[in-house]
Amino acid sequence: MGFNPFRSVKNFFHDLKNAPEAQYITSAAAPTQYPSQESFNLPEKVHYLETSARLSRHFTHESLEQLGQAGTAPLPPRPDKKKGSVLDAVVRAAGSRWTLGVVLLLLVVWGVLGAVFGPTDTWQVILQDVSSIQAYTSATLLMRQQNNNTRGLLQRICGLISRSESNERMVRSLTAEQRARLRASTQKIRSEVIDSLHHKQDMFDKISNGVAKATGSLIALLIYWAGIIGWVFSGIPLQFSDTWQLDVNTATALEITFTTVFLQNIRSSHDKHLDATVQGIERLDTEIEMQLRRMTGDMTPNPTIASEPFKLNRWVKGLDIYAYIIGGSVGLVISAFVFGTWILVGDPMEFDDNWFLIIGTYTGLIGFIDGFILKNVDAREAKLALKHFDRLVAQDRKIFGLIGIEVPQSQHVVKDSLNIRISKTVGRWVESTTASWGSIMTVFALLIVASAMQWTETGQLLCNTPTMIVEGFLLLTLIQAENIADDKKRVTYEDILNRRLILDKHLAGWGGNDDDSDDGMSYNEKDGVVVQTFTINGQDVEMGGSF
């Protein structure tokens, strides 16, 4: 079928209407691990009846080999991050090291040109306009990156819950005596799995993390506002001239350009690190599942687990609809339309100073709103992830309770320093729904004032100077929030791994390798045939062999 513009528009408004609820609804089922027939801990006297119609119908060597799961616990496939829309590809490129390096190089070139030819007003306005366009586009990319990361995280957690529910079902099927043996058995924790949490960082990552800690610190925020206060007082001898306003706009443009690109890069770096950690957890998780399936003969596929997004009121829904527009392809289309229109009106305006300021005024006002909504969405997504991590903890506790072993406590409790407590207090205000809607009303007020001043140069600077200052501050708080969230995720993933290491220790230490011992599996002898009952797709299926 060809492209249907009417259907596309209809689908867009349908998705727009459902955006607040739909964008966080996802589901995942952990890949089910089917052991091969030889991998079950059956006595040597048992010979499988390969001709059994019931057996071959449910799982045979051939079907298992086709699944690539013949007797081992392979690492489940990771989501292919290369797939997705063009916008997602742009998001990945924007968070790369190359993009950050190119932007830093261009800023250095701009600084050298100013030092050689003098810091003229045109030199400053050029940076402000380029920075405004870049920051405006980055708002779309940052919003998209946030949504993609959150959906990916929710899918990971749902996958872990899926396998944990299957493991609980299999442990529950064991007899009290078998659980007691499982509780008593131990084996040394495997150190090679623990090493999955300690990935080596190259020099670039170390420098980036150091810069992220510095720019996202309370000291950086204090220095930022100290500079703004110093600029305000410097306006007295400069008579609060337009050049005085241009100076602070240039300084904030530099800060906004760097922080928007750096924030995308550090998010991408953190996500890559945590993704490698999750792979280590899932590798161990699949081995636990495989061992339990060998012990119980349970072949029921892992269930599909759906995420549980928060219920939203109409005010929050309004913010999410705005975020959906800005964080999608429509946001880029709007950006292209605005920039195209700005270029077209350049000739009638003779490319004067007001023309240069127009784009900065527009992007400054919109960026002001975007900053608050980015902060609001980021905070709510962090709470949503925490809610699902709590679901996983509760599910894991059921397994430990059934076996009768103690749930390991977190060994790395993140303590909030005075710096963090103050930062969180400030963050709670700027990320509130009230602050986001307040930013929208502030923009309307500035538009009224600028219109009353007939959109003179001073009127435009009045619109974009304070908004750029606040936007720069909000970006620093976003870096700070990213640092805090990353620290918490690392501790959370380590706790998840520790729980699985404990389970693996008991499962691996349980008997079953000795042919003369009871390996926890029950058999019935019927007319010279050893029959074992397996659960496949919710139905009991008997497997037997002659001896």
Side-chain angles (χ1 to χ4, degrees):
M1 296 179 63
F3 174 71
N4 188 329
F6 297 102
R7 179 177 297 173
S8 298
V9 172
K10 180 181 178 181
N11 291 339
F12 168 74
F13 282 104
H14 177 270
D15 293 340
L16 181 63
K17 179 182 178 181
N18 297 323
E21 289 81 11
Q23 62 183 341
Y24 300 121
I25 295 178
T26 186
S27 61
T32 304
Q33 306 301 307
Y34 293 106
S36 67
Q37 297 167 9
E38 290 86 350
S39 66
F40 288 100
N41 293 326
L42 295 174
E44 286 185 353
K45 62 183 179 180
V46 175
H47 302 281
Y48 287 105
L49 299 177
E50 297 293 347
T51 58
S52 169
R54 177 174 291 181
L55 173 59
S56 62
R57 182 171 67 249
H58 289 285
F59 56 97
T60 63
H61 286 297
E62 290 76 11
S63 63
L64 290 168
E65 289 173 357
Q66 290 175 359
L67 290 172
Q69 297 173 327
T72 60
L75 179 66
R78 301 294 304 150
D80 187 357
K81 294 189 175 182
K82 294 183 179 180
K83 296 181 180 179
S85 66
V86 174
L87 179 57
D88 291 331
V90 174
V91 169
R92 288 192 295 270
S96 67
R97 296 180 178 183
W98 286 103
T99 300
L100 178 61
V102 169
V103 170
L104 291 176
L105 178 61
L106 291 175
L107 291 177
V108 170
V109 171
W110 172 82
V112 171
L113 291 175
V116 173
F117 299 102
T120 63
D121 288 353
T122 302
W123 174 75
Q124 294 192 65
V125 171
I126 288 175
L127 173 70
Q128 292 174 30
D129 285 347
V130 173
S131 174
S132 296
I133 295 172
Q134 177 270 328
Y136 183 78
T137 305
S138 289
T140 294
L141 302 180
L142 284 168
M143 189 68 71
R144 184 75 167 197
Q145 187 184 46
Q146 281 186 190
N147 291 339
N148 287 349
N149 288 351
T150 299
R151 285 182 63 86
L153 178 59
L154 293 179
Q155 286 180 333
R156 291 171 182 168
I157 301 173
C158 287
L160 292 172
I161 295 174
S162 170
R163 182 165 281 119
S164 185
E165 285 195 0
S166 288
N167 292 344
E168 179 207 350
R169 182 187 65 249
M170 289 184 281
V171 171
R172 193 178 294 276
S173 69
L174 298 175
T175 65
E177 181 182 355
Q178 291 168 344
R179 293 182 199 173
R181 290 186 56 194
L182 188 61
R183 180 170 56 252
S185 62
T186 58
Q187 179 172 296
K188 185 178 180 181
I189 291 179
R190 293 183 290 170
S191 59
E192 71 273 10
V193 182
I194 301 177
D195 293 338
S196 65
L197 278 178
H198 305 290
H199 305 290
K200 293 183 178 179
Q201 295 180 332
D202 57 24
M203 185 59 65
F204 185 91
D205 286 334
K206 291 180 180 179
I207 294 175
S208 294
N209 286 329
V211 173
K213 295 294 184 183
T215 55
S217 65
L218 179 61
I219 295 177
L221 296 179
L222 293 176
I223 292 174
Y224 181 84
W225 284 112
I228 297 301
I229 293 173
W231 165 76
V232 171
F233 282 103
S234 70
I236 298 175
L238 295 175
Q239 299 180 351
F240 302 101
S241 62
D242 291 343
T243 301
W244 169 76
Q245 292 192 61
L246 279 174
D247 289 341
V248 75
N249 282 2
T250 301
T252 52
L254 275 171
E255 186 263 352
I256 289 173
T257 299
F258 170 75
T259 51
T260 50
V261 178
F262 181 70
L263 179 57
Q264 293 173 80
N265 175 264
I266 200 67
R267 278 180 175 176
S268 178
S269 176
H270 287 168
D271 187 61
K272 181 180 179 181
H273 169 84
L274 293 175
D275 186 70
T277 302
V278 171
Q279 289 191 47
I281 293 173
E282 290 183 339
R283 182 183 296 277
L284 185 58
D285 228 12
T286 56
E287 293 179 1
I288 292 173
E289 178 195 350
M290 182 71 80
Q291 180 71 355
L292 284 170
R293 290 191 184 279
R294 289 170 180 156
M295 291 161 52
T296 63
D298 189 327
M299 294 295 139
T300 304
N302 294 325
T304 299
I305 303 299
S307 60
E308 298 177 356
F310 292 118
K311 297 294 183 181
L312 307 177
N313 59 44
R314 65 179 62 184
W315 298 103
V316 178
K317 286 183 178 180
L319 298 180
D320 270 4
I321 289 175
Y322 177 88
Y324 176 79
I325 295 174
I326 296 301
S329 301
V330 175
L332 290 181
V333 172
I334 294 174
S335 300
F337 175 78
V338 169
F339 299 144
T341 303
W342 173 64
I343 293 174
L344 289 175
V345 301
D347 187 55
M349 296 183 65
E350 299 179 350
F351 299 99
D352 58 9
D353 291 342
N354 273 341
W355 177 79
F356 275 103
L357 284 173
I358 284 176
I359 194 66
T361 301
Y362 171 79
T363 56
L365 293 172
I366 299 300
F368 177 71
I369 297 174
D370 290 347
F372 277 98
I373 294 183
L374 275 168
K375 184 68 176 173
N376 176 272
V377 172
D378 180 72
R380 287 190 287 113
E381 289 179 341
K383 293 177 182 177
L384 184 60
L386 180 61
K387 172 185 176 181
H388 286 76
F389 276 127
D390 288 342
R391 284 181 61 188
L392 177 60
V393 172
Q395 179 59 44
D396 287 349
R397 286 182 179 276
K398 294 179 182 179
I399 300 176
F400 279 78
L402 287 171
I403 300 175
I405 55 179
E406 185 177 354
V407 179
Q409 299 298 317
S410 178
Q411 299 179 2
H412 301 280
V413 179
V414 179
K415 296 182 179 180
D416 289 347
S417 61
L418 178 62
N419 180 352
I420 298 298
R421 291 199 298 271
I422 295 175
S423 299
K424 284 185 175 181
T425 301
V426 175
R428 279 192 293 270
W429 182 83
V430 297
E431 71 196 23
S432 67
T433 304
T434 302
S436 294
W437 281 103
S439 69
I440 296 174
M441 290 186 287
T442 300
V443 167
F444 277 110
L446 289 173
L447 290 174
I448 293 173
V449 172
S451 298
M453 299 177 66
Q454 299 181 347
W455 290 96
T456 60
E457 184 174 342
T458 301
Q460 291 195 61
L461 288 172
L462 183 63
C463 281
N464 62 33
T465 298
T467 54
M468 287 181 67
I469 291 173
V470 175
E471 183 183 0
F473 163 71
L474 292 173
L475 287 168
L476 291 177
T477 63
L478 277 170
I479 293 178
Q480 185 179 66
E482 173 63 23
N483 292 336
I484 295 174
D486 182 65
D487 289 340
K488 286 186 176 180
K489 287 177 185 176
R490 290 173 189 251
V491 172
T492 299
Y493 282 139
E494 185 163 351
D495 291 342
I496 294 172
L497 179 62
N498 284 337
R499 293 196 295 271
R500 276 137 187 81
L501 284 169
I502 296 297
L503 290 176
D504 178 70
K505 180 180 71 171
H506 286 271
L507 287 168
W510 192 19
N513 295 326
D514 186 353
D515 294 336
D516 296 328
S517 65
D518 178 14
D519 55 12
M521 303 176 70
S522 59
Y523 308 95
N524 297 318
E525 295 188 10
K526 298 180 180 179
D527 301 325
V529 176
V530 175
V531 179
Q532 184 184 8
T533 302
F534 290 81
T535 303
I536 303 177
N537 295 328
Q539 298 181 352
D540 290 338
V541 178
E542 290 184 345
M543 292 175 53
S546 60
F547 62 96

